[in-house]
Amino acid sequence: MNGNDRAITALVMLAHGLVHTYEMTIPIFVVVWLTEFDVVNLGVAQFDVTTATIGVIVTLGYGLFGVGALPGGVVVDRIGSRRLITACLLGMGGSYVLLGVAPNMVVIALALVCWGLSASVYHPAGLSLISKGVSERGTGLAYHGVAGNLGIGLGPLVAAVLLLVAEWRTVALVLGVPALFAALYASRARFDETAAVTAAADSGSKASSGVDSLGEFLAESRRLLAGSFLLVFVVVMCSGLYYRGVLTFLPELLRTLPGFEPVPVDALLPASVLSALGVEAGTGRPLKPQDYFYAGLLLIGVVGQYAGGKLTDRLPLAYGIAGAFLVLAALAVLFVPASAAGLGPLMAVGALLGVALFVVQPMYQAAVAEHTPAGARGLSYGFTYLGVFGVGALGSVLAGSILAFANVTALFLTLAAIALAAVTAGIALTRRT
């Protein structure tokens, strides 16, 4: 990679890692919010804080994270990626600062809305920057994906460790600082956003494409959704619903299981160490095993991303998608029995779930390219992120409502049904390939 490639790749890796750090830290805070707050006071009405109401609040942020991707793709063509990524980082950092001073659930909801709006523009801006500015595009995308997965896994782990020594508002404030510094770096970094486009134009190939008007946008959208891309869109919506549905309340579900009882940190340290730290026995913050299980499940997703990429090159995509979602359906059915069987079986199912959740992502990303025309590729990925993050955000409110009015078994059977719907769409795709 040349100097311009490295400068762009460094920025998008930093931004992508932070986006997913903040995204996946929210479920860690959900456990705290459920115990710390009793009501959501809207002035004209009050609602008890339950998994259902928390699910709605989280869905506000996660939903905007997806819905904003489509207009974000239009805006990036008008103002450039650097400005949009800088604004994204500044907005995310500010959102977590607001979260850190939130006195009640209403302000928490406002902070999550601000985060969702800010984060929503990253994927179209970051991927556009790689495609237009990085000559070694495949390498840039590989590093970009690795950084995202590290943020997905390490973000919750860092939050869980910080919660051992500080209360959640302080943790939110600390987490917000890196994005503010990253925004400063993004505004000052030096690179050519269109270096690869210029090279393509010099070689005589078409450098860019897209929609230039509302009429063209509507026409291209109708054309996409009238073809086999509609089946791909069903797949990505199912992926998003399953992903949010299983992860949003996972730490809270694990908290109630045998083997996940809080462990006082001072019980793990020798008396001499406690004395040196000035900590009295029984006064330290408890270690919460569910947070580390959750972080480990997400970290092992790196294996799933790698395996999914390799399988994408070796299997027909439609069959790979159907098979991967069939595994997810089976794991959803097995999760509750495994949790009742003990810590060992639960860890085994959890590890497989962590891998399977991310195996499907390279597959559906490749399927988008296979089932859309090159001239509408940007629009296609805009719809893809709308489906994964926008429609998929409803998985949070779906999971919260099922847990509030039914039980864990009903939740995982619902997730299995969602996965089977994706299997059906994958099988239907085999006839269109």
Side-chain angles (χ1 to χ4, degrees):
M1 301 179 81
N2 59 39
N4 194 71
D5 287 359
R6 288 194 295 271
I8 291 175
T9 301
L11 174 59
V12 296
M13 287 179 68
L14 176 61
H16 196 205
L18 287 171
V19 165
H20 290 297
T21 290
Y22 298 134
E23 174 201 5
M24 302 314 298
T25 298
I26 292 171
I28 296 288
F29 290 145
V30 164
V31 179
V32 183
W33 297 336
L34 282 168
T35 57
E36 180 164 332
F37 297 101
D38 296 322
V39 297
V40 181
N41 188 352
L42 299 179
V44 295
Q46 291 187 349
F47 303 92
D48 292 336
V49 173
T50 65
T51 55
T53 52
I54 290 282
V56 172
I57 289 172
V58 170
T59 298
L60 290 174
Y62 281 156
L64 289 171
F65 181 34
V67 171
L70 198 54
V74 176
V75 173
V76 73
D77 290 332
R78 299 293 183 267
I79 69 172
S81 293
R82 181 205 296 273
R83 292 181 182 177
L84 213 54
I85 291 174
T86 301
C88 165
L89 291 166
L90 192 61
M92 291 195 302
S95 299
Y96 261 64
V97 170
L98 178 60
L99 193 63
V101 298
N104 52 53
M105 286 304 302
V106 174
V107 180
I108 288 174
L110 177 61
L112 294 183
V113 165
C114 293
W115 172 82
L117 287 171
S118 302
S120 69
V121 301
Y122 172 72
H123 284 92
L127 292 173
S128 175
L129 181 57
I130 294 173
S131 66
K132 293 179 180 179
V134 177
S135 57
E136 297 290 337
R137 187 178 302 164
T139 303
L141 287 170
Y143 283 123
H144 179 263
V146 168
N149 267 93
L150 289 176
I152 285 172
L154 292 178
L157 181 60
V158 169
V161 172
L162 289 175
L163 285 170
L164 292 176
V165 297
E167 62 106 21
W168 73 270
R169 289 184 177 86
T170 303
V171 174
L173 286 171
V174 170
L175 289 176
V177 171
L180 299 178
F181 280 106
L184 180 63
Y185 168 73
S187 67
R188 294 176 177 269
R190 294 290 176 260
F191 51 78
D192 182 355
E193 287 194 35
T194 60
V197 170
T198 302
D202 290 343
S203 67
S205 65
K206 186 177 179 181
S208 62
S209 60
V211 295
D212 298 318
S213 66
L214 177 60
E216 188 176 347
F217 168 79
L218 294 174
E220 287 295 322
S221 298
R222 283 195 297 268
R223 187 159 71 97
L224 279 175
L225 296 174
S228 57
F229 175 73
L230 178 61
L231 294 172
V232 180
F233 191 61
V234 171
V235 168
V236 300
M237 285 192 296
C238 291
S239 178
L241 288 168
Y242 190 106
Y243 183 84
R244 292 287 182 229
V246 76
L247 292 179
T248 300
F249 293 98
L250 184 59
E252 173 65 15
L253 297 178
L254 294 172
R255 184 179 64 85
T256 62
L257 297 177
F260 288 89
E261 295 82 5
V263 179
V265 176
D266 51 22
L268 305 175
L269 299 175
S272 58
V273 176
L274 292 175
S275 177
L277 294 174
V279 177
E280 297 181 11
T283 61
R285 292 178 180 271
L287 183 149
K288 300 176 180 179
Q290 72 270 12
D291 292 346
Y292 299 92
F293 184 101
Y294 170 76
L297 182 149
L298 294 174
L299 272 175
I300 205 171
V302 174
V303 177
Q305 282 275 11
Y306 179 82
K310 289 295 185 181
L311 290 172
T312 296
D313 293 332
R314 289 167 171 76
L315 292 175
L317 284 175
Y319 289 105
I321 287 170
F325 276 98
L326 189 61
V327 171
L328 284 172
L331 290 172
V333 172
L334 291 173
F335 190 89
V336 174
S339 65
L343 191 57
L346 178 60
M347 291 183 68
V349 172
L352 291 173
L353 180 62
V355 172
L357 274 174
F358 293 95
V359 161
V360 300
Q361 292 186 4
M363 292 183 177
Y364 69 61
Q365 288 167 354
V368 173
E370 185 174 294
H371 292 275
T372 59
R377 195 62 44 77
L379 182 62
S380 304
Y381 280 109
F383 273 111
T384 298
Y385 287 112
L386 173 65
V388 174
F389 295 138
V391 177
L394 295 175
S396 296
V397 70
L398 176 67
S401 299
I402 291 174
L403 290 173
F405 300 107
N407 53 39
V408 179
T409 300
L411 169 61
F412 279 91
L413 289 178
T414 301
L415 294 174
I418 291 171
L420 289 176
V423 172
T424 303
I427 293 172
L429 267 179
T430 63
R431 303 176 182 179
R432 299 290 191 95
T433 303

